[in-house]
Amino acid sequence: MKVGVIGSGGREHAICTSLKKSKNIDKIYCFPGNAGTSFIAENIEIELNNFEELKRVIEELGIDMIIVGPEKPLVDGIVDFLELNKIKVFGPDRISSQLEGSKIFTKNLCKKYNIPTAKFGVFNSIQDSLSFLNECKFPIVVKADGLAAGKGVYICETNDQSKKAVEEIFNGKFGEAKQILIEEFLKGEEMSFFIISDGINYKIFGTAQDHKRALEGDKGKNTGGMGAYSPSRLESEKLEKKIIEKIIEPTLKGLKDINNKFKGFLYAGLMIIDDEPFLIEYNVRMGDPECQTILPRLKTDFLDIVTATVNENLKDINLEWFEEKSICIVLASKGYPDKYKNNLEINGLKEIKLQNNEYIFHAGTKINNSKIHSNGGRVLNFVIKSDNLKIGRDQAISLIKKLNWQNGYFRKDIGYKIIS
C-alpha cells in the first residue's frame, strides 16, 4: 500500500514511524511533513486548505489511504471531501469534528446527555461576559469557542486577568469570536484518555498525562504541551469503567442521535477529582505530545488498525501493547509560547546514535540547504520507552544535553507526579 499522512508535527512523525514498521506499506507520503519525516517518507509541500489540489496529488500518486493528523483539516471537512471523491481516509467527519471545533457544541452535548463537566456559561459579547465575571468566584476558566492551537484557554486568578482574556478573545486573538465560554475551575489531576472507533465499535487506545504549562511545577503560560508520559498514573479498571459509562458512550450516543457516527481517534481531556472523571474538552485526533508516548508502546500493526477502522471491522483487531512505559520531553524554542526566533540551525542530530527504546520525533523542523532548521515553537520530542519512568526521563534529558541546542528550553520535571 501507499499511505499519505497529513500534518507536520511530532504526532505525524510518530505516526510515520509506526507505519514504517508495517510489512504492507510500499511508500509513505507526508503532507507537508517536517525534517524528521523526510527520512522515512516523501514530503510534499502543499496548502492543506486546498482540498482540490490535495485530491489531485493523492490520485496522481496512487495513494491508497490518507491518515489525517491535525485538527484543523478535520474541522474544515477534509474527511467528507475525500470520501465524496472515493478516497479512503482515516479520521472523523465534519460533524463529529465539532466535538473539538466548538467547545460550545460539546458543552451542550454534555448538558443534554448528563456528561460530567464543569459548570459553564456561554456569552455573546464583552459586556455580557464582564457583567457575569463581576459575580464570579475565582479562579475561573475562560475559553475561546473554536480551534486555538491548544492555546485558547485562560485560567484566571483575578477579575483583571479574566477581563484581559475576554477582551483578547473577542478582539480576535484566535480568529473571529462570536461567543465565549466561561466555566468553573475544576481542581484535580488531568488525564488524557483515548479510544479508536470505526463508527460501530470502539476500543480503548491508551492513556497519558500531558504537561501543558511552559514552566516546571506546572507554572507559566499554557502551551500545546511540553511533555507527557504513558500510561497515566491514574489508570485503573474502576476509573476506566466510569469514563466509558459516563463520558465516552453517552458522547457516541449523542452523535448517533443526530445520525452521525464517529470514526477515528477520540481523545477525552479529563479532570479526575476524588476518582470521578469530568470532561474538560474533546479532541478528535491523537494528542500531541501524547501520541508520541502511546504509539511506541503499540505492538499491533498500526496500518492494520487504521484499515480496520476505515473498513468498519475494528472488532476483528486485537490491540496488543508492550509492557514498558514511555515518556516524552519537548524541546521548545526559547520564548515559546510567546515570541521566539525561527529558522535556526540545529546541529548535532546526526551524531546522536539512538538505541531501540529511544526516539527523537521532529515537531517544528524543516530542511534548508541539506541542514535541519527550527520551524515552530515546539521543535523536537525526545521519547524513551522503559520499565522505569525516572530512568526514561534521565535518558531523555541526557539526549537533549548531548544535542546541546542553545536556542531551546525544556522542562526537567515531566512526570513529576508519578516520579517522586
Side-chain angles (χ1 to χ4, degrees):
M1 280 181 76
K2 290 180 178 179
V3 179
V5 177
I6 289 177
S8 62
R11 167 183 49 225
E12 287 74 37
H13 190 185
I15 287 170
C16 288
T17 301
S18 279
L19 290 170
K20 193 75 182 163
K21 296 175 192 168
S22 177
K23 293 180 180 133
N24 299 316
I25 290 183
D26 294 323
K27 185 148 189 180
I28 303 168
Y29 296 91
C30 214
F31 303 89
N34 58 38
T37 60
S38 69
F39 295 104
I40 50 177
E42 184 179 327
N43 286 352
I44 296 177
E45 200 60 46
I46 199 166
E47 288 294 327
L48 291 184
N49 57 3
N50 188 342
F51 291 179
E52 284 291 346
E53 177 64 7
L54 196 59
K55 173 180 86 87
R56 187 190 67 74
V57 174
I58 289 165
E59 288 174 345
E60 202 173 88
L61 295 170
I63 295 172
D64 302 290
M65 177 80 71
I66 291 289
I67 299 168
V68 187
E71 61 275 19
K72 191 171 185 312
L74 294 168
V75 171
D76 290 346
I78 193 167
V79 168
D80 311 61
F81 175 82
L82 293 177
E83 283 181 344
L84 202 63
N85 286 282
K86 305 288 185 284
I87 293 167
K88 288 197 170 186
V89 54
F90 175 89
D93 64 15
R94 190 198 292 265
I95 291 173
S96 290
S97 296
Q98 282 300 295
L99 288 172
E100 180 167 4
S102 169
K103 295 176 181 73
I104 293 168
F105 173 88
T106 298
K107 281 290 189 179
N108 289 333
L109 190 88
C110 289
K111 198 173 181 179
K112 186 174 178 181
Y113 291 90
N114 296 316
I115 296 165
T117 189
K119 291 176 190 146
F120 69 99
V122 175
F123 301 92
N124 301 317
S125 70
I126 292 179
Q127 199 175 346
D128 289 350
S129 307
L130 297 184
S131 299
F132 175 76
L133 286 165
N134 287 334
E135 310 298 319
C136 284
K137 286 180 183 173
F138 289 87
I140 203 136
V141 183
V142 180
K143 293 181 175 180
D145 179 41
L147 296 177
K151 299 182 199 75
V153 177
Y154 297 78
I155 297 164
C156 305
E157 305 284 347
T158 64
N159 197 301
D160 282 350
Q161 284 179 5
S162 58
K163 184 175 180 240
K164 187 184 175 198
V166 166
E167 287 171 348
E168 282 188 357
I169 292 169
F170 273 117
N171 289 334
K173 185 170 181 180
F174 306 104
E176 190 188 353
K178 289 178 179 160
Q179 292 182 307
I180 202 168
L181 191 71
I182 299 175
E183 62 181 34
E184 69 173 330
F185 176 76
L186 295 178
K187 194 166 174 55
E189 189 166 337
E190 287 189 55
M191 179 186 197
S192 303
F193 186 92
F194 297 86
I195 66 153
I196 187 168
S197 169
D198 65 2
I200 301 162
N201 298 288
Y202 70 87
K203 290 181 186 283
I204 293 164
F205 205 83
T207 63
Q209 189 169 81
D210 188 10
H211 297 61
K212 283 280 182 206
R213 298 296 192 97
L215 307 175
E216 280 157 32
D218 290 333
K219 302 281 194 296
K221 290 194 174 181
N222 257 2
T223 71
M226 292 298 294
Y229 71 88
S230 177
S232 161
R233 73 176 187 139
L234 303 173
E235 196 179 276
S236 72
E237 277 184 35
K238 186 180 165 192
L239 181 59
E240 186 179 280
K241 190 168 183 286
K242 287 179 184 176
I243 294 166
I244 291 297
E245 287 176 2
K246 295 183 177 187
I247 295 173
I248 301 297
E249 288 185 347
T251 300
L252 296 176
K253 182 186 186 309
L255 290 173
K256 275 183 183 156
D257 288 350
I258 54 169
N259 295 318
N260 187 263
K261 49 189 184 181
F262 192 96
K263 291 176 82 169
F265 286 122
L266 181 60
Y267 155 16
L270 306 172
M271 188 67 78
I272 311 301
I273 305 168
D274 299 328
D275 216 30
E276 287 295 326
F278 290 80
L279 182 71
I280 305 171
E281 63 178 10
Y282 270 127
N283 293 322
V284 293
R285 34 75 191 181
M286 271 307 249
D288 185 341
E290 292 99 330
C291 179
Q292 293 89 299
T293 65
I294 289 173
L295 285 185
R297 298 182 53 238
L298 180 66
K299 202 184 276 188
T300 310
D301 186 314
F302 184 53
L303 179 66
D304 289 349
I305 298 167
V306 168
T307 306
T309 302
V310 172
N311 294 334
E312 298 187 353
N313 54 13
L314 190 59
K315 67 179 191 307
D316 300 332
I317 291 281
N318 182 30
L319 295 186
E320 290 186 90
W321 301 89
F322 292 107
E323 288 294 318
E324 293 104 319
K325 304 169 178 74
S326 66
I327 193 161
C328 168
I329 299 178
V330 171
L331 181 62
S333 294
K334 281 180 181 170
Y336 173 79
D338 293 317
K339 287 184 179 172
Y340 54 86
K341 288 180 181 171
N342 233 340
N343 204 26
L344 301 167
E345 193 176 336
I346 306 166
N347 288 314
L349 277 168
K350 286 176 188 169
E351 282 68 53
I352 296 177
K353 300 284 178 273
L354 296 173
Q355 306 301 312
N356 280 340
N357 65 336
E358 299 175 338
Y359 305 83
I360 298 176
F361 295 126
H362 289 236
T365 64
K366 63 180 177 181
I367 292 180
N368 272 347
N369 300 323
S370 306
K371 290 178 178 173
I372 296 170
H373 289 74
S374 64
N375 187 37
R378 294 184 295 165
V379 181
L380 295 166
N381 305 155
F382 292 77
V383 177
I384 308 293
K385 191 170 71 176
S386 67
D387 294 323
N388 182 298
L389 284 174
K390 168 84 169 70
I391 291 168
R393 185 172 72 184
D394 290 348
Q395 253 178 280
I397 290 171
S398 170
L399 287 176
I400 293 171
K401 286 180 174 172
K402 201 177 281 184
L403 179 65
N404 194 28
W405 189 52
Q406 298 299 312
N407 299 297
Y409 81 97
F410 64 98
R411 278 182 57 169
K412 300 181 186 71
D413 69 338
I414 300 300
Y416 73 93
K417 286 178 180 168
I418 192 169
I419 303 167
S420 59

